[in-house]
DNA sequence: ATACCTTGGCGTCATCTGTA
DNA sequence: TACAGATGACGCCAAGGTAT
């Protein structure tokens, strides 16, 4: 049986996605990967290691039999899936149910990485997310730890702190410095209706209205006779969609508001999911980078160990002569 | 210049997972 | 158990590279 101790750094990067399972093996073994070092077990306890430069080294029971890698190939998972699908062919289970049974979800990237990091200090932990923007803003002494940052259609930033203080900042200003701070007077008790704010950023400016409800900020659109409200995503300047086309007064009228409420909830959900997807992709990239690093480290270790082994063997052979 | 391919990012949906 | 968050899957789009 031939086993390759291989480089998986570039071409097989995707193959190194872990399934969340771990063991103590230090060497990543993948039968499908290109070989730098070949190991062939000639007889029990004796392994022939072929180095990338063509040299062959016989190893007597030092290199253990291949164990499952820390980094598992997704190919394995694919094969499992294919097999399972074959097995279930013809059964009366729905596709959804099949998928549910077949696709065992892997733990989150943060979880996997944190597990890895507990094993190896070289692997950085992914912190519980705390948006960089929020961190940097919280250092501003005049703001009491904002929980959400929004941007209006005019480019102004709105920060809502935990204390329900609202701060406005013009574009270009560093973080929220120099912003105005307003306080929501009726925020102590949750109202069924919305909190409406009006403000003028500068003397002479037309007033701008904000509509707060359920922790979300709706910003009145700049144009149009009918007031429209755009739901703005925290930390994003993009208006997600027009949410309201009615006047603020009618927003507090539940019977006519039902459809709008449904739409609004959907928009909020989509917005949150959009942000979550972004964050998830970011974490995934970080996770892949960490795996790359880990592969590089393990390859180095492997190389060093093989060289060490070779040197020891040389010494041993010289003594035997 | 144009067509085609690859890659990377995004938004959305469906579903899983953890927690109150 | 309901709910919010996380994530896999899918389709779309834009940018860059390459062959013709």
């Amino acid at each position: 049986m031939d086993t390759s101790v291989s480089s998986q750094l570039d071409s097989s990067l995707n193959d190194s996605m872990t399934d969340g399972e771990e063991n103590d093996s230090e060497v990543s073994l993948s039968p499908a990967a290109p070989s730098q070092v070949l190991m062939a077990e000639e007889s029990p306890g004796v392994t022939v290691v072929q180095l990338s430069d063509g040299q062959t080294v016989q190893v007597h029971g030092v290199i253990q039999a291949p164990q499952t890698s820390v980094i598992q190939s997704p190919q394995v998972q694919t094969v499992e899936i294919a097999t399972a699908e074959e097995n279930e062919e013809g059964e009366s289970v729905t596709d959804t149910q099949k998928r549910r049974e077949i696709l065992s979800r892997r733990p989150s990237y943060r979880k996997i990485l944190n597990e890895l990091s507990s094993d190896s200090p070289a692997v950085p932990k992914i912190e519980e997310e705390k948006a960089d923007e929020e961190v940097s803003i919280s250092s501003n002494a005049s703001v009491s730890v904002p929980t959400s940052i929004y941007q209006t259609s005019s480019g102004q930033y709105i920060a809502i702190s935990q204390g329900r203080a609202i701060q406005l900042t013009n574009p270009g200003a560093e973080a929220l410095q120099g912003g105005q701070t307003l306080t929501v007077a009726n925020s102590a008790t949750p109202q069924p209706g919305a909190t409406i704010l009006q403000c003028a950023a500068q003397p002479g400016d037309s007033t701008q209205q904000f509509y707060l409800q359920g922790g979300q900020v709706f910003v009145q659109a700049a144009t149009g006779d009918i007031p429209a409200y755009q739901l703005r995503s925290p930390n994003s300047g993009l208006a997600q969609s027009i949410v309201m086309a009615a006047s603020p007064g009618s927003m507090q009228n539940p019977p006519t508001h039902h459809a709008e409420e449904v739409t609004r909830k959907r928009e909020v959900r989509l917005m949150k999911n959009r942000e979550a997807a972004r964050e998830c992709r970011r974490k995934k990239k970080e996770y892949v980078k960490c795996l790359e690093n880990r592969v590089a480290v393990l390859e180095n270790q492997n190389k060093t160990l093989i060289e060490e082994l070779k040197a020891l063997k040389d010494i041993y052979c010289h003594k035997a002569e």
Side-chain angles (χ1 to χ4, degrees), chain A residues 28-140:
Chain A
S28 175
L29 299 168
S30 166
S35 62
Q36 273 189 345
V37 181
L38 286 173
M39 297 201 313
E41 200 163 301
E42 285 196 329
S43 60
V46 180
T47 308
V48 177
V49 178
Q50 188 183 358
L51 300 175
S52 49
D53 58 4
Q55 282 187 299
T56 307
V57 183
Q58 274 198 345
V59 181
H60 299 263
V62 179
I63 294 180
Q64 300 293 315
Q67 298 171 9
T68 359
S69 167
V70 170
I71 301 164
Q72 274 199 347
S73 165
Q75 285 172 349
V76 175
Q77 195 183 12
T78 310
V79 169
E80 283 171 356
I81 289 166
T83 311
E85 275 174 346
E86 279 168 22
N87 289 344
E88 290 182 2
E89 230 172 14
E91 288 178 15
S92 60
V93 196
T94 66
D95 287 347
T96 313
Q97 283 172 327
K98 272 188 194 173
R99 278 188 56 187
R100 224 178 272 176
E101 287 166 16
I102 292 162
L103 296 171
S104 57
R105 201 179 191 79
R106 84 174 62 140
S108 76
Y109 299 119
R110 192 194 312 147
K111 201 172 172 183
I112 295 169
L113 263 187
N114 289 346
E115 277 173 15
L116 285 176
S117 68
S118 65
D119 287 352
S120 140
V123 182
K125 275 190 181 228
I126 296 180
E127 300 293 337
E128 289 294 327
E129 48 261 23
K130 205 168 207 172
D132 292 345
E133 298 89 335
E134 291 193 6
V135 171
S136 67
I137 287 162
S138 67
S139 63
N140 184 344

